[in-house]
Amino acid sequence: MSLETMEPTPTWDAEAHAETVDVLEQLDDLTFKIWGADWCKDCRAELPDFAAALDAAGVDEDRIEQYEVDRDKNGPLTEEYEVELIATIVVERDGGEIARFEEEEPVPAAIYLADQLRESELAH
């Protein structure tokens, strides 16, 4: 299953976001779980740029899991991951959550998650 909103934005500028791409590129042991819907305006605004960042970083498709939700925000694993807002992106390492983006964050998903990942990696 693939969300149309996860088609990378062709105009997204990887050079302008080099720090974000660099973080996503270096951490090659992460899995990205993405909940969204093509009917959702927040997902249409957020996910194409996030997909472009993953693409620019060369993240393998097998490390990107997409879950479509209905208008009541029900879908695969929504209860287990306590998904209440979409878009929601959970980043995992070895099955453990290390970062999360939810639609209400004040910055784009790629930047927000790269910042969280940079901080969590520096803490180790």
Side-chain angles (χ1 to χ4, degrees):
M1 203 286 322
S2 183
L3 296 164
E4 288 179 24
T5 53
M6 280 298 291
E7 286 296 317
T9 301
T11 56
W12 192 80
D13 186 357
E15 286 183 30
H17 301 286
E19 288 181 30
T20 297
V21 172
D22 188 48
V23 170
L24 296 174
E25 218 168 32
Q26 288 181 32
L27 303 173
D28 60 0
D29 60 341
L30 304 179
T31 301
F32 299 86
K33 294 181 183 282
I34 302 155
W35 285 267
D38 295 332
W39 53 262
C40 171
K41 69 178 176 58
D42 294 317
C43 296
R44 290 192 312 266
E46 194 63 54
L47 293 179
D49 285 353
F50 182 66
L54 293 176
D55 192 48
V59 175
D60 291 330
E61 285 185 30
D62 64 343
R63 296 187 317 141
I64 303 168
E65 300 175 13
Q66 300 176 44
Y67 304 102
E68 187 171 8
V69 301
D70 64 22
R71 291 190 183 274
D72 295 320
K73 313 266 180 17
N74 295 317
L77 304 175
T78 54
E79 287 185 31
E80 293 87 338
Y81 282 86
E82 299 177 4
V83 174
E84 296 179 8
L85 303 170
I86 57 171
T88 291
I89 303 165
V90 173
V91 183
E92 292 183 336
R93 175 180 285 128
D94 299 324
E97 182 174 327
I98 61 169
R100 179 183 286 245
F101 170 88
E102 295 177 323
E103 85 177 43
E104 61 192 9
E105 300 302 342
V107 297
I111 295 167
Y112 183 85
L113 289 169
D115 287 346
Q116 280 194 334
L117 292 168
R118 189 179 303 108
E119 287 176 22
S120 74
E121 292 306 301
L122 292 175
H124 285 96

